[in-house]
Amino acid sequence: MPPSVCVVAEELGFYADMGVDVETVLIESSTDQRDRLLSGNVDVGVTAMDNLVVWNAGGGGLRIVAQVESTTPLELVARPSVVGMEGLRGAVLGVDAVDNGFAVVLRHLLARRGLSTADYTLLPVGGVRERWEALRTESIDATLLGPPLDELAAEADFVSLAAVEAEVPEYPGQGVVAGPAALKAGGDGLPRYLAALEAARRWLCDASDEQVRELLSRGGHGPASVRAALRTRPKSLVPSPAGLGRILAMREGLGLLPQPAPGLGDLYDDGPLGAESNR
């Protein structure tokens, strides 16, 4: 499901108010997303902020320009026959990519239970929809799923083994990433897009739970997605330094931090968001 701020911006006309026309493109993998951003095929993407650590390794033109969820509502879901985390020894785990995105927090969850990379296999199968399909057809044994797919999995008797939101609450939610073309365009398209998201964020924080529930349901969110959106309403679009630091520390602990290690300036650009706030 699209982030709640994006749904609100569309449903309440904030995009139109800011004079931007938004076309949403669904992608099948983070690799596809990165390539589209770098080529200028798309202007911005909504993605796991960890992706930037690898995408910009050795220098890169992609930058996080906003954070649209306070944390990440993902659950590690497994086939019904899997008993506890120990049941994942020898298992095949579906991921988008093996060394970036949510694969990193998945490795972290497993390492906390004493499972090393030799105890399981990571299999790239694509985005969350593709991962759910692979789990449903038993091509994999477990994967990370978010609303509403985690709820569909529970209804089909798949088991939840761990929740990122509970175990690593400071792990940041999804971010808006801008490509080089959008960052260097020199116009106000990107700041206006972010201004629409900021208007939506303020509405989400000021509205009652019932108002949010009614609007998101109208925008296509099911009950599980609405509950997750209510829990992860961002207090600010500015990415959390603590969250970005947690990503880097997690990678360092797993031996997955690229060298030279990126700094916050290699991941986040506050220019577009700041430009609109100063209008």
Side-chain angles (χ1 to χ4, degrees), residues 195-214:
L197 295 188
E198 171 60 17
R201 185 202 65 78
R202 289 197 301 268
W203 185 89
L204 275 170
C205 291
D206 293 341
S208 68
D209 287 1
E210 186 54 39
Q211 287 175 308
V212 173
R213 187 174 294 107
E214 191 279 330

Side-chain angles (χ1 to χ4, degrees), residues 25 38 50 73 84 95 97 104 107 138 143 147 159 165 171 178 187 205 212 228 233 244-245 260-262:
V25 178
L38 287 173
D50 175 89
V95 295
V104 176
R107 289 175 186 248
E138 301 187 352
T143 191
V159 295
E165 191 177 349
Y171 189 81
C205 291
V212 173
R233 285 179 282 195
L244 291 173

